[in-house]
Amino acid sequence: MTQIQPVLLAAGQSRRFGENKLLADFCYAGVTAPLLAHSLQPWLQQFERVLVVVPMIYQPLQKALQTALNDDYHRLDWLPSAQAEAGMGHSLADAVSATAEAEGWLIGLADMPLLPTEAIAGVADLLKQGAVLAAARYMQRQGHPVGFSSQFYSALSILQGDSGGRHLLKQQHAAIQFFDCQHPGVLTDVDTPQALQALQASAAISTSG
């Protein structure tokens, strides 16, 4: 079976949020926990282990998740990124370089707490079936997670700056295979306190309906 490496990028600086947004409380399905804990849940439902790329000082994240995830906490592999402050590209490059034996990488963002499990499973399946590039999509809009086959190892391992893998996806757009999802969570991330409040209100409506 094709070995797909799940990667959650959690090394951002939260500059627009004003503090570490991944530690902010978020309530979903009646459970209040740090935003990062909710973002991790669907990944842990699909994979036995998940690689989490973090800044060099990441002990507060560890402490918060130990409480929030209980036994599942031990299924996380932590990868500190020395150049995380320089942008998402460095975090992604570090993750790919650290797992060079993988046959593909499934990349997610740590500030997407409503990402549906089906999107993760769907994009992973596309990679396992031979897609060189794959991504979730909602109403014709490309979202996360995104998947890269091993043929992109060299390009991914030298990424820099804050664009992540976006330019690769743009350059190779015709090669992307999409998993069409019926949930807008594949597009929804959190950059500001206002965005978190709006997402919390949306989550409350969706879980009460």
Side-chain angles (χ1 to χ4, degrees), residues 4-86:
I4 304 300
Q5 175 65 55
V7 176
L8 201 69
L9 300 178
Q13 300 302 299
S14 301
R15 292 187 178 91
R16 293 174 61 190
F17 199 88
E19 58 184 343
N20 193 335
K21 60 186 174 182
L22 301 183
L23 293 173
D25 280 344
F26 185 75
C27 182
Y28 186 59
V31 177
T32 298
L35 186 73
L36 178 56
H38 285 291
S39 297
L40 276 163
Q41 287 291 354
W43 292 84
L44 290 168
Q45 290 176 28
Q46 288 297 315
F47 294 96
E48 183 59 32
R49 303 197 68 82
V50 178
L51 181 67
V52 185
V53 186
V54 291
M56 295 303 292
I57 299 176
Y58 61 99
Q59 288 77 12
L61 291 175
Q62 285 185 312
K63 184 177 180 179
L65 291 184
Q66 280 180 320
T67 300
L69 296 180
N70 297 315
D71 291 344
D72 285 337
Y73 171 82
H74 300 288
R75 297 165 54 200
L76 304 177
D77 296 315
W78 300 88
L79 179 65
S81 176
Q83 300 185 74
E85 292 186 7

Side-chain angles (χ1 to χ4, degrees), residues 77-120:
D77 296 315
W78 300 88
L79 179 65
S81 176
Q83 300 185 74
E85 292 186 7
M88 189 185 300
H90 291 281
S91 295
L92 182 50
D94 285 346
V96 170
S97 297
T99 56
E101 72 286 352
E103 296 178 46
W105 297 270
L106 190 64
I107 311 300
L109 304 181
D111 61 353
M112 299 184 71
L114 301 187
L115 186 68
T117 305
E118 65 183 72
I120 298 172

